[in-house]
Amino acid sequence: MTSQPDRGTRSVTVLARIADDRVEALRKTLREAGTPFAHVPGVHVVRLVVVEDVVAQTRPTVWRWKARLLDLVVHAGRGPRPDRLPHPYLLLTATVDGPQERFFAGMRALGPHADAIWEHCTGYPGSERAAGFVRFFTERSQRADYTFAGAPDGTVGELRDAVGMRRRLAALAAGGHSGRVPALTTSGPAPVPQRPRAVVAEALRLGDIQGMVLRGFGHHHAAAHLLLRFTGADPARAWLGALAPRVTSAAEVQERPNRALHLGLSHAGLAALGVTEAELNAFPEEFRAGMYAREAALSPGRGTDPWAAPFDRPGAVHAVLMVSATTREILDASLRELPAGTAAGGGVHLVGEIRGDRLLADRGGRRTFIEHFGFADGLSTPKIDGYDEGTGDELLPPGEFVLGLPDVDGDAAGRGVPADLARNGSFLVYRKLEQDVAAFRETTAAVADRFAGGADDVAAALVGRTGDGSALERCPVASHVRRANPLGTLPGGIRLSRRHMMLRRGIPYGPQLPDGAPDDAQERGLLFLAVVGDIHRQFEFVQTQWMADGNVFGRGGEQDVFTTAGGPGARVLVEGEPPVYVPIPRPLVTCRGGEYFLLPGLAALAALAGR
């Protein structure tokens, strides 16, 4: 888990700070450099760009009338604001075969060509020092959320072989049957055969994976989430040792148990259990920081201001114990059977408890689960190769959700994290989202006369589906479901969407507000749970790039209605003939707290208890 696999195409991004007085000299060097990267093994494409302290974004000189109208409506005709950087940077972007460390090591072959380029950057050690050279680029590398490649499933050697084979076949066809058949051989390694489904399934150690990773327990209608804080390492580990055998594994879910128990541990919780500093530092940055520290970017303009106890300070919640059952009676019995230890002095302090219940309603002539705004919920869930039935792009590699296994990029999910902590584990995104049902109904009623189907059509346009979950014939570009999963509508197509998918495991909380009833001031909403293998690439990317920003959808700073939008002057554009603005005078959804948790494998839980 400490290195990337040899096969697979991936993107490399490096930002190196340029000395403030060396920009022009570097530009001159780049103009004269030619194409030295052609001699670096495994390179598909490389681009070098000088990024100065002001990056102006240009606008089209010729507009179609609809685009011009949209620009006037969204931006009032004003140009985008420039992005200001404190220092100039040299940006390297590349698509290469194999791990980035191999690419960096191969760049040493450039020798004086590399020195001529990066000597203008601060901290560059020169190409003669191998370890320092590779470390310079590794420390300045950034995670890339897009991969550009003409043939992402083949290495450079395989692509060259394919081109050569095509030329020889063309020569054979042009020469008819008079000549000898040219040798059709390949110089690279033999292609790796596709593994049979049975072999892929074997990689999923169901008995060691927490059950909620692979199944959503939709038949469980009641849940209790216990938010815990450890007050002593030894008694907390003793409590964990008694609890670990009760955690539900993925091997049990096929039997549709009437109760289940799952446990997530935060970074602060792992520290409180005695995990070493070196091990803690090996986790990804976003997990180490915790959601509290990341919320300013996740909810622009709000941050943690609306957060409530026990999430109102960083690292306050060490664990979440999630108990679910088919009925409330079975749930209550399960809670009574939990190991002792949450009393004062028992090593584990209960800092909060949230109860969740499935909401049922008639939608499209059938009973279905809904969320508080009245829409069918839990309709679209990614399928996992080796566990679910499906074909092609329907199936995602198990490493998208299970650490230690290959993800969509061919990397081992959670690489770098100590194997005894990460193996067969997953990351859990946990957010308590309060829903203002009265505000939602007022919002849709305010512009109901502009839509043929009244308030129901307004709601469907904002969500991107009808109340029973049916897809709209023309799904609005920036509707909630389209932002959450653009499918093939953005550059990059379905491959882009596949890199940012999550397994949702949420449940509503709070009493349902009946249709037509006035606001009762009761707290209600959704306990948003998402299982991922990469918090940044999956959850944080979707939240910051697709939900909290509308630029990629051509909507400027317009935010998603059900994530971060709302307040004085806020509005959402629904395209149509003519387009309609829907004012959002106050937030419809407000995050009241959350955290990033690790869902350790069952063996890892036992090992933590035994430290």
Side-chain angles (χ1 to χ4, degrees):
M1 199 177 292
T2 58
S3 61
Q4 296 173 327
D6 287 346
R7 291 183 59 83
T9 302
R10 56 186 47 80
S11 287
V12 175
T13 302
V14 177
L15 272 174
R17 178 181 166 185
I18 306 170
D20 293 337
D21 58 347
R22 305 294 293 276
V23 172
E24 291 307 317
L26 175 57
R27 287 187 183 279
K28 183 175 183 295
T29 299
L30 293 177
R31 284 194 294 268
E32 299 171 353
T35 57
F37 286 91
H39 304 290
V40 178
V43 173
H44 289 248
V45 62
V46 174
R47 188 181 185 191
L48 292 168
V49 179
V50 173
V51 182
E52 295 193 77
D53 55 348
V54 176
V55 182
Q57 301 177 25
T58 60
R59 307 174 75 206
T61 55
V62 178
W63 299 75
R64 293 185 178 182
W65 74 267
K66 287 186 178 180
R68 181 61 177 166
L69 175 61
L70 184 62
D71 178 68
L72 288 171
V73 170
V74 176
H75 299 294
R78 296 188 297 270
R81 291 175 295 180
D83 300 319
R84 299 188 178 277
L85 298 175
H87 305 284
Y89 287 83
L90 176 60
L91 169 67
L92 177 148
T93 59
T95 302
V96 301
D97 294 332
Q100 66 176 15
E101 291 80 7
R102 181 199 294 170
F103 168 62
F104 295 151
M107 283 173 53
R108 284 193 65 229
L110 297 176
H113 292 288
D115 295 339
I117 295 172
W118 276 280
E119 68 179 1
H120 302 286
C121 299
T122 59
Y124 178 66
S127 60
E128 293 183 358
R129 299 169 52 194
F133 182 88
V134 173
R135 185 166 56 250
F136 171 83
F137 290 98
T138 301
E139 291 176 349
R140 290 159 178 79
S141 64
Q142 307 290 324
R143 264 187 298 200
D145 289 306
Y146 294 90
T147 298
F148 298 93
D153 294 323
T155 66
V156 170
E158 291 166 348
L159 297 179
R160 287 174 176 165
D161 287 336
V163 171
M165 185 178 294
R166 187 173 68 177
R167 288 173 178 167
R168 290 191 291 274
L169 285 170
L172 174 63
H177 299 283
S178 58
R180 298 179 61 187
V181 177
L184 301 180
T185 60
T186 61
S187 59
V192 176
Q194 292 294 314
R195 294 180 295 167
R197 285 288 301 276
V199 178
V200 176
E202 187 180 348
L204 288 168
R205 305 296 181 184
L206 302 183
D208 196 33
I209 299 171
Q210 293 202 35
M212 68 179 296
V213 173
L214 300 182
R215 274 292 176 263
F217 291 86
H219 65 295
H220 286 190
H221 289 208
H225 293 178
L226 308 184
L227 306 172
L228 308 172
R229 183 171 181 83
F230 301 137
T231 55
D234 289 339
R237 286 195 294 267
W239 172 85
L240 180 59
L243 180 79
R246 297 169 179 254
V247 173
T248 305
S249 76
E252 301 173 58
V253 301
Q254 298 294 348
E255 301 173 5
R256 291 176 62 85
N258 63 4
R259 65 185 75 189
L261 185 151
H262 301 95
L263 179 68
L265 301 171
S266 69
H267 191 263
L270 291 172
L273 287 171
V275 174
T276 67
E277 184 175 355
E279 291 173 310
L280 292 169
N281 289 339
F283 280 92
E285 175 188 352
E286 54 276 3
F287 182 72
R288 297 197 311 268
M291 190 180 290
Y292 189 96
R294 313 282 286 185
E295 187 65 11
L298 298 175
S299 296
R302 297 189 203 175
T304 56
D305 289 345
W307 283 30
F311 298 109
D312 53 351
R313 55 192 177 91
V317 177
H318 289 169
V320 57
L321 182 60
M322 296 161 284
V323 186
S324 62
T326 52
T327 67
R328 286 190 178 185
E329 292 73 21
I330 296 176
L331 174 67
D332 290 338
S334 300
L335 293 172
R336 289 192 296 269
E337 295 168 4
L338 289 177
T342 57
V348 183
H349 179 53
L350 180 65
V351 295
E353 179 178 348
I354 312 172
R355 292 291 185 111
D357 292 284
R358 300 285 183 197
L359 305 179
L360 281 168
D362 289 318
R363 292 290 183 271
R366 59 187 176 88
R367 298 284 283 174
T368 188
F369 294 133
I370 62 169
E371 47 72 54
H372 279 291
F373 291 148
F375 282 79
D377 197 23
L379 297 176
S380 180
T381 300
K383 296 181 178 180
I384 303 172
D385 192 13
Y387 188 78
D388 296 304
E389 294 296 327
T391 58
D393 287 335
E394 283 187 303
L395 295 170
L396 286 170
E400 286 299 285
F401 313 107
V402 181
L403 303 181
L405 299 178
D407 62 17
V408 291
D409 295 327
D411 295 335
R415 63 188 181 90
V417 180
D420 59 345
L421 289 173
R423 186 181 294 114
N424 294 321
S426 303
F427 288 116
L428 175 70
V429 179
Y430 189 102
R431 288 172 77 77
K432 183 182 181 183
L433 303 178
E434 183 178 88
Q435 295 176 261
D436 190 336
V437 176
F440 176 71
R441 293 172 181 173
E442 292 168 11
T443 294
T444 58
V447 291
D449 59 342
R450 307 285 301 277
F451 289 76
D456 287 346
D457 275 10
V458 181
L462 296 177
V463 173
R465 285 180 179 156
T466 61
D468 64 1
S470 300
L472 300 181
E473 184 178 350
R474 304 183 73 176
C475 186
V477 171
S479 63
H480 177 71
V481 299
R482 187 56 65 243
R483 285 175 179 264
N485 183 6
L487 297 174
T489 62
L490 294 178
I494 195 67
R495 282 186 177 271
L496 171 65
S497 297
R498 280 168 54 84
R499 302 189 75 248
H500 308 292
M501 301 186 78
M502 299 169 272
L503 293 172
R504 291 182 55 218
R505 300 290 186 244
I507 189 170
Y509 70 92
Q512 192 170 1
L513 186 66
D515 290 341
D519 190 2
D520 58 3
Q522 294 291 309
E523 187 178 327
R524 56 177 56 86
L526 176 71
L527 297 175
F528 174 90
L529 283 69
V531 176
V532 298
D534 187 321
I535 296 171
H536 173 76
R537 173 169 59 80
Q538 291 167 280
F539 169 70
E540 290 195 344
F541 179 91
V542 171
Q543 180 75 11
T544 60
Q545 303 300 313
W546 291 348
M547 294 294 185
D549 187 77
N551 196 46
V552 72
F553 302 101
R555 294 299 178 82
E558 183 182 285
Q559 299 176 351
D560 175 54
V561 174
F562 302 106
T563 307
T564 54
R571 56 184 185 173
V572 173
L573 179 66
V574 176
E575 60 264 34
E577 297 292 343
V580 177
Y581 264 122
V582 180
I584 314 293
R586 67 179 192 265
L588 306 183
V589 178
T590 301
C591 182
R592 295 299 184 187
E595 186 55 280
Y596 295 138
F597 295 100
L598 174 70
L599 296 173
L602 273 65
L605 283 174
L608 280 169
R611 289 196 174 212

